[in-house]
């Protein structure tokens, strides 16, 4: 065998091992789904002499990063760290935040190589971790299972760049696109399996949003009801221009009782999930001219009330998204009703769709549509999906896809 062929075999072997260890790191990272926001999900595997000696993942904002967990796990087990290879799904941070820079910890423990899945999408920090490591002689390999690592944190990647949430539009509808009969009956269009799948979808987001009409007609709780939900319930958000949400609404039932004032200093540095608490928090977004007496009643029930600007007599979708992004909401699930979904569609504020379709036909021009509003005038202005997937969920279908930008 020539030297060139031998080098090629070695490179292929290294590439295969890199993929295998990064896949392990990805599996670890997924354990943080639904609980790390506004931080990304990150997993890490520390390898020494071809063997895994430490594993870790980021568990929550403010807790050690995955790289630190993997190194500490190895040291606690009495394993050799110096000279090892670290596999991590996201570029190690190089600046102080709630925790020290991971690059400093990597250098302090003498790792010889760092293999990374995705580069930090933040323009301010992109590539800084790589440069810091390479400057001190650490070998860096980037882009291993890159697409899988990017997919893991698609919502966070969007939020860190745009400062607004990644929006998932979700509804349960009939074959003919209805979400309720002409009498307003809507429970249950889809079966138990589809409802469980919807709860798993809730388990992956920071906040769930509905319009006040949905609250008035259906009185939903908007909580996660699964055998093993995430540590904290998502924040429940109501768009309610005139503060019509009843104080006895179920959406306020588990909200922590406390006196509420406006955002600023008291909430600085806190994440959306931390503000939600273990039972979930209720936020009601109202117009600036909403009656003060109604606002006070909602606050007395534990709701946080945010007055924002309106457009054509309704709370502005764009202003709402900027507010939620500022509050650390990285992933937002918009559950309706039809007017709210139509408004988000009209403002091109939807990034992903998850529609559950039941094999029933409701019919009637007075039945409630899944996506209402004005709609588009031209076919070319319609929302088109890419990467569309259709699956079975019990007796129902689920259609998922990304909005083509």
């Amino acid at each position: 065998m020539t030297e060139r062929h031998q080098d090629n075999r070695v490179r292929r072997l290294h590439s295969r091992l890199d993929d295998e260890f990064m896949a392990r790191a990805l599996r670890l990272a997924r354990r943080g789904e639904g609980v790390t926001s506004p931080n990304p999900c990150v997993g890490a595997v520390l390898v020494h002499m071809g063997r895994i000696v430490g594993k870790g993942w980021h568990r929550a904002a403010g807790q050690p990063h995955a790289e630190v967990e993997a190194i500490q796990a190895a040291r606690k087990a009495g394993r050799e760290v110096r000279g090892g290879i670290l596999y991590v799904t996201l570029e190690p941070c190089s600046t102080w935040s709630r925790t020290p820079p991971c690059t400093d910890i990597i250098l302090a423990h003498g790792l010889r190589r760092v293999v990374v899945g995705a580069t930090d999408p933040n323009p301010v920090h992109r590539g800084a971790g790589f440069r810091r490591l390479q400057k001190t002689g650490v070998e860096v390999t980037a882009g291993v299972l890159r697409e899988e690592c990017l997919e893991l944190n698609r919502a966070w990647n969007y939020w860190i760049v745009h400062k607004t949430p990644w929006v998932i539009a979700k509804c349960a509808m009939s074959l003919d696109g209805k979400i309720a009969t002409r009498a307003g009956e809507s429970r249950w269009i889809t079966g138990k399996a589809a409802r469980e799948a919807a709860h798993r979808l809730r388990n992956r987001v920071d906040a769930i949003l509905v319009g006040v009409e949905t609250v008035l007609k259906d009185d939903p709780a908007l909580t996660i009801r699964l055998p093993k939900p995430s540590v904290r319930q998502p924040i429940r958000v109501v768009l309610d221009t005139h503060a019509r949400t009843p104080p006895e609404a179920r959406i306020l039932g588990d909200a922590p009782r406390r006196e509420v004032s406006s955002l600023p200093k008291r909430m600085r540095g806190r994440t959306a999930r931390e503000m939600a608490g273990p039972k979930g928090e209720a936020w009601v977004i109202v117009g600036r001219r909403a009656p003060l007496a109604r606002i006070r009643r909602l606050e007395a029930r534990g709701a946080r009330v945010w007055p924002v600007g309106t457009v054509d007599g309704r709370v502005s979708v764009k202003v709402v998204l900027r507010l939620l992004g500022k509050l650390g909401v990285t992933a937002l699930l918009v559950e309706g009703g039809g007017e709210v979904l139509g408004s988000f569609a009209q403002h091109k504020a939807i990034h992903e769709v998850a529609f559950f379709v039941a094999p029933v036909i409701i019919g009637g021009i007075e039945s409630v549509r899944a996506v209402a509003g004005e709609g588009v005038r031209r076919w070319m202005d319609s929302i088109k999906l890419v990467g569309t997937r259709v699956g079975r969920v019990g007796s129902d279908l689920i259609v998922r896809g990304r909005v083509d930008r």
Side-chain angles (χ1 to χ4, degrees), residues 269-288:
R270 301 185 67 201
T271 72
R273 284 284 188 165
E274 286 172 333
M275 287 188 285
K279 290 187 176 181
E281 187 161 297
W283 293 357
V284 183
I285 302 178
V286 302
R288 296 193 188 280

Side-chain angles (χ1 to χ4, degrees), residues 29 89 161 321:
T89 55
V161 174
L321 291 176

Side-chain angles (χ1 to χ4, degrees), residues 97-116:
S97 54
R98 294 185 175 195
T99 55
C102 289
T103 51
D104 289 2
I105 296 167
I106 291 169
L107 294 172
H109 287 85
L111 302 185
R112 68 177 178 85
R113 183 173 178 238
V114 174
V115 182
V116 177

Side-chain angles (χ1 to χ4, degrees), residues 45-281:
V45 170
L46 181 59
V47 175
H48 194 276
M49 300 294 290
R51 295 178 54 205
I52 294 177
V53 295
K55 297 182 291 186
W57 70 94
H58 185 46
R59 298 168 189 265
Q63 293 192 21
H65 289 187
E67 302 93 318
V68 177
E69 282 223 341
I71 292 171
Q72 289 178 344
R75 294 187 62 191
K76 187 175 181 179
R79 304 289 178 82
E80 183 64 47
V81 173
R82 188 166 296 276
I85 304 174
L86 182 69
Y87 292 83
V88 60
T89 55
L90 184 67
E91 177 183 352
C93 63
S94 58
T95 57
W96 276 86
S97 54
R98 294 185 175 195
T99 55
C102 289
T103 51
D104 289 2
I105 296 167
I106 291 169
L107 294 172
H109 287 85
L111 302 185
R112 68 177 178 85
R113 183 173 178 238
V114 174
V115 182
V116 177
T119 304
D120 189 332
N122 190 334
V124 178
H125 305 300
R126 179 187 291 270
F130 297 153
R131 292 189 293 272
R132 171 86 172 104
L133 295 172
Q134 290 170 329
K135 187 177 179 180
T136 53
V138 176
E139 181 185 349
V140 174
T141 302
V144 176
L145 300 189
R146 177 179 178 275
E147 293 304 317
E148 293 89 337
C149 292
L150 287 173
E151 174 66 18
L152 175 69
N153 288 307
R154 65 182 182 278
W156 181 81
N157 293 337
Y158 183 87
W159 173 78
I160 205 72
V161 174
H162 299 278
K163 308 304 180 187
T164 56
W166 176 271
V167 177
I168 305 170
K170 174 259 174 184
C171 73
M173 62 183 183
S174 63
L175 277 174
D176 54 339
K178 309 293 186 178
I179 58 174
T181 67
R182 61 190 176 93
E185 185 179 343
S186 61
R187 294 184 179 178
W188 298 99
I189 289 179
T190 53
K192 181 179 179 181
R195 295 197 296 273
E196 288 180 355
H199 283 284
R200 288 194 294 272
L201 187 58
R202 288 179 176 180
N203 201 35
R204 294 174 42 215
V205 301
D206 301 322
I208 304 168
L209 183 147
V210 297
V212 67
E213 293 297 335
T214 296
V215 174
L216 293 172
K217 291 177 182 177
D218 298 337
D219 193 21
L222 297 184
T223 53
I224 299 169
R225 295 182 292 280
L226 290 172
K228 294 182 179 180
S230 59
V231 177
R232 297 181 178 90
Q233 292 281 347
I235 295 161
R236 295 162 290 176
V237 183
V238 183
L239 298 189
D240 185 3
T241 304
H242 304 292
R244 293 186 295 144
T245 299
E248 65 276 11
R250 292 176 67 208
I251 201 169
L252 307 179
D254 293 327
R257 302 291 189 271
R258 56 168 154 264
E259 188 172 341
V260 178
S261 60
S262 53
L263 166 66
K265 298 178 182 177
R266 203 155 52 86
M267 294 172 52
R268 191 171 299 160
R270 301 185 67 201
T271 72
R273 284 284 188 165
E274 286 172 333
M275 287 188 285
K279 290 187 176 181
E281 187 161 297

